Amino acid sequence: MSAIDDLIDDTGAYDCVECGKCTTVCPVAKLDSNFAPRLIVVKALEGVDGGLAQNKDIWRCTTCAICSNMCPYKVDYTEFIRGLRGEAIIDGFEPICSQGGFMHTIARILSNQLHQDRLNWVTDDLKVAKKGEVYYFSGCQAHLNKIFKEKNVKVIDIARNCIRILNKVGITPAMSNNEVCCGHDLNWIGDEATLKKLMEINIKAIKTAGAKKVLFSCPECMRTFDFDYQGFAGDLDFELVYITDFLMDLVDDGKLEFKDKGKEKVTYHDPCRLGRHLGIYDSPRELIEAAGFELIEMENICENATCCGVNAFVTCEALSKTMQINRLIEAKNTQADKLVTACPKCLIHFSCAVWKEIPVEKEKVDIPIIDLISVVTERI
Amino acid sequence: MDNMFKPRIIAFCCNWCSYAGADLAGVSRFQYPPNARIIRVMCSGRVEPRFVFRAFEKGADGVIVTGCHIGDCHYISGNKKAEERMKLVRYLIGILGLEEDRFRLEWISASEGQKFAHVMTAFINKIKELGPNPMFGKIEEGTECQQ
């Protein structure tokens, strides 16, 4: 039990005053009254783990961090859940992940340093280098693109458009064929050992490329580098920058200009990793407006943004679908032409929710879902 | 060293054609190497791409999926679905860095015991040429690979 005690210490769970604010904002608890983040913490504090390996609730949490954000004593629930998952794995529990753990299998295969052909999506019109000061970390986008092809999601467009926009301002980003998945999904199912292996490969690949600045277009990768890698390996000697921050700096310096193609109305969904985890709320919005779009906000935004329903491909159940549909209805109600998000995973999950059968009338959720980088690249 | 290598092969066989084909190969006493572990599935369309990668992750040296001939599927179009699904496997095997020959999709009917033995022998010989699963064999560190 000492591991759980350490976890309680690390995440400040002793400070819990049982006010229940976490439960009132939790997207899962809103839809299922049997689930409560507070209950998970209180049970751990009382030492009633009730067989951690059998506790399904720790896998249903979407780790969206809205609870930690709301907590007056700043108990780090998401970290707490992550720790509990790790302990459950040690107890011999094998989580039933969505897609049958396909993404996790791929990440584990990648940790073996095979001779990949990872950059085969870089077409001739895109300029990338082997070495350079600015490095672009593309993550799993090439794999996800093929896996979710039938759901009408073109994840690879995000990566291609990132390079396109960087080329436009005269930057040839360095990329490495030896980089691997960041390990985010494995980290959130409690597989720290493989995460560390992936971390070493990635850090080595980036150092080999001689990068001083690493750009991310996936908030999950950036979060993993920022918190988890730096937690294990100490401060990294390159700067981690999210693509929207980087592009906004260019806009401010007058290096990046957009063509005016009419006022299109868009609404923006805050990904949990980018917003509540990393605290980047402004730059995506500024970028949308700089590109000449009219931004209409939804009801729940920034710290209160609702979740896309799935985290790290762990849980995907009826409640996840309800969360996604609710969010899409919210987006549709703004009368915007497009729903823009900055996370490839949000893009996948929302597109999946409206793929084939939709539990509500189609008109209520009929809004194109597109990623932020592709939307602004249309206007360069 | 090569003589020591005994490939571990996972074979997914559909219940209606290929598994019966394997049975026929057995009762007809057609000889083929004993390296394949056969997993019976109701239809080749049941085999998801992740099953194949899971097998590789857990140490399989080769994976073969077999089903009824196109047009003969017990469930009418299950094998067409399988063919569609296995395209993803071929693509991902390529970009992940496993050799494409480690995976094979074959149509074997219940009456083709000879073909079953023949396909298995050929596949296992191919895997013997390729050597062990690279995730479990040794790879020199720091080798640069061409894009």
Side-chain angles (χ1 to χ4, degrees):
Chain A
M1 276 310 290
S2 67
I4 304 256
D5 288 338
D6 287 346
L7 190 62
I8 292 170
D9 272 346
D10 290 348
T11 55
Y14 274 127
D15 297 342
C16 174
V17 290
E18 299 183 34
C19 64
K21 279 187 178 172
C22 47
T23 310
T24 58
V25 290
C26 174
V28 183
K30 267 182 198 160
L31 299 170
D32 178 5
S33 53
N34 292 323
F35 180 89
R38 182 173 64 127
L39 202 61
I40 298 174
V41 170
V42 171
K43 270 187 184 168
L45 287 176
E46 303 281 328
V48 204
D49 73 337
L52 193 57
Q54 272 73 47
N55 189 351
K56 294 270 187 316
D57 278 354
I58 61 170
W59 301 95
R60 297 179 67 202
C61 166
T62 66
T63 63
C64 71
I66 198 163
C67 46
S68 320
N69 201 58
M70 186 54 80
C71 179
Y73 288 87
K74 296 290 165 225
V75 177
D76 194 350
Y77 281 99
T78 37
E79 197 54 36
F80 189 71
I81 291 284
R82 196 181 68 81
L84 285 182
R85 285 177 180 180
E87 290 303 310
I89 295 282
I90 293 166
D91 280 7
F93 182 80
E94 197 164 336
I96 305 153
C97 300
S98 69
Q99 321 292 332
F102 195 7
M103 306 331 145
H104 309 99
T105 297
I106 288 183
R108 287 198 185 107
I109 290 178
L110 284 170
S111 71
N112 292 289
Q113 287 186 294
L114 302 177
H115 297 316
Q116 301 182 74
D117 181 22
R118 130 178 307 263
L119 298 181
N120 68 352
W121 52 269
V122 180
T123 46
D124 292 341
D125 59 321
L126 306 171
K127 280 182 279 178
V128 299
K130 286 209 162 168
K131 285 182 188 290
E133 291 205 347
V134 179
Y135 184 93
Y136 172 58
F137 188 83
S138 66
C140 288
Q141 291 176 102
H143 313 145
L144 294 175
N145 187 53
K146 282 283 171 178
I147 295 168
F148 293 100
K149 199 178 71 177
E150 59 182 15
K151 295 190 174 159
N152 308 322
V153 206
K154 284 195 180 140
V155 182
I156 203 67
D157 281 0
I158 307 175
R160 287 202 178 119
N161 286 329
C162 270
I163 299 180
R164 218 161 267 151
I165 211 164
L166 290 170
N167 286 168
K168 172 85 182 168
V169 292
I171 297 168
T172 307
M175 291 188 79
S176 170
N177 198 32
N178 292 340
E179 71 172 34
V180 287
C181 165
C182 66
H184 171 275
D185 294 354
L186 288 176
N187 187 24
W188 290 92
I189 64 161
D191 188 350
E192 234 173 60
T194 319
L195 173 82
K196 283 179 186 163
K197 271 196 207 169
L198 293 168
M199 172 180 83
E200 278 166 21
I201 304 172
N202 277 330
I203 293 179
K204 196 174 146 198
I206 291 172
K207 278 187 180 159
T208 312
K212 297 220 169 86
K213 209 174 239 187
V214 182
L215 300 181
F216 297 89
S217 61
C218 173
E220 297 192 339
C221 297
M222 172 124 169
R223 191 227 179 263
T224 308
F225 269 75
D226 200 355
F227 296 158
D228 303 308
Y229 285 13
Q230 305 214 65
F232 292 128
D235 284 351
L236 299 172
D237 48 12
F238 41 80
E239 197 187 344
L240 309 171
V241 188
Y242 195 68
I243 187 88
T244 55
D245 281 341
F246 186 76
L247 294 179
M248 265 328 282
D249 285 346
L250 292 173
V251 171
D252 291 341
D253 295 346
K255 286 181 190 156
L256 178 63
E257 280 173 8
F258 295 100
K259 286 181 196 140
D260 191 13
K261 285 192 182 168
K263 270 266 185 254
E264 214 176 347
K265 287 186 269 185
V266 299
T267 184
Y268 174 69
H269 165 78
D270 286 277
C272 58
R273 282 353 186 210
L274 189 63
R276 285 183 291 266
H277 285 239
L278 290 164
I280 300 175
Y281 299 107
D282 299 332
S283 70
R285 291 186 163 77
E286 286 163 10
L287 188 64
I288 289 171
E289 285 179 341
F293 292 97
E294 188 183 333
L295 179 65
I296 310 175
E297 293 287 8
M298 286 187 262
E299 200 183 320
N300 298 306
I301 55 158
C302 297
E303 292 89 346
N304 300 324
T306 44
C307 175
C308 72
V310 183
N311 82 94
F313 293 105
V314 175
T315 355
C316 184
E317 48 178 15
L319 295 187
S320 319
K321 291 287 149 220
T322 316
M323 279 181 233
Q324 287 154 8
I325 293 292
N326 288 347
R327 187 62 166 168
L328 288 171
I329 292 174
E330 209 181 316
K332 181 72 187 165
N333 286 345
T334 60
Q335 312 283 333
D337 302 320
K338 279 175 185 162
L339 169 62
V340 175
T341 177
C343 175
K345 301 281 178 75
C346 292
L347 189 71
I348 291 168
H349 300 319
F350 283 136
S351 305
C352 179
V354 290
W355 182 62
K356 290 195 175 170
E357 282 155 42
I358 309 169
V360 292
E361 292 97 72
K362 197 172 184 302
E363 298 78 56
K364 284 191 180 169
V365 291
D366 188 19
I367 182 166
I369 307 148
I370 193 161
D371 75 278
L372 179 57
I373 299 301
S374 302
V375 137
V376 297
T377 313
E378 285 169 18
R379 302 205 162 192
I380 56 166
Chain B
M1 184 66 195
D2 281 349
N3 299 334
M4 297 290 287
F5 171 49
K6 290 183 183 135
R8 279 171 296 182
I9 310 289
I10 298 292
F12 292 99
C13 296
C14 90
N15 183 45
W16 304 100
C17 292
S18 312
Y19 196 78
D23 247 358
L24 185 63
V27 294
S28 314
R29 299 184 169 238
F30 297 134
Q31 296 294 314
Y32 66 89
N35 305 69
R37 273 78 159 168
I38 295 182
I39 297 176
R40 181 167 61 160
V41 286
M42 288 310 280
C43 178
S44 53
R46 174 67 185 94
V47 182
E48 296 176 22
R50 66 182 170 92
F51 293 0
V52 178
F53 286 102
R54 184 85 167 161
F56 284 127
E57 182 202 336
K58 294 287 177 194
D61 299 307
V63 178
I64 180 163
V65 178
T66 57
C68 311
H69 285 273
I70 296 287
D72 285 347
C73 177
H74 187 79
Y75 305 101
I76 300 168
S77 62
N79 47 10
K80 282 188 185 159
K81 289 196 176 102
E83 201 172 23
E84 227 13 75
R85 286 180 139 180
M86 294 311 138
K87 283 182 189 163
L88 174 64
V89 173
R90 291 212 178 87
Y91 176 81
L92 283 179
I93 279 187
I95 59 172
L96 289 178
L98 289 157
E99 294 93 342
E100 279 171 39
D101 287 339
R102 289 192 186 276
F103 169 75
R104 196 157 165 187
L105 176 65
E106 282 287 343
W107 309 131
I108 299 167
S109 84
S111 60
E112 294 175 324
Q114 183 85 61
K115 186 180 177 187
F116 187 88
H118 179 74
V119 164
M120 280 300 173
T121 314
F123 185 60
I124 290 164
N125 286 339
K126 183 80 205 168
I127 298 299
K128 279 185 180 162
E129 259 173 52
L130 288 172
N133 183 334
M135 285 183 267
F136 294 82
K138 285 263 179 279
I139 297 181
E140 316 86 287
E141 273 199 23
T143 40
E144 279 286 325
C145 39
Q146 292 296 312
Q147 185 198 314

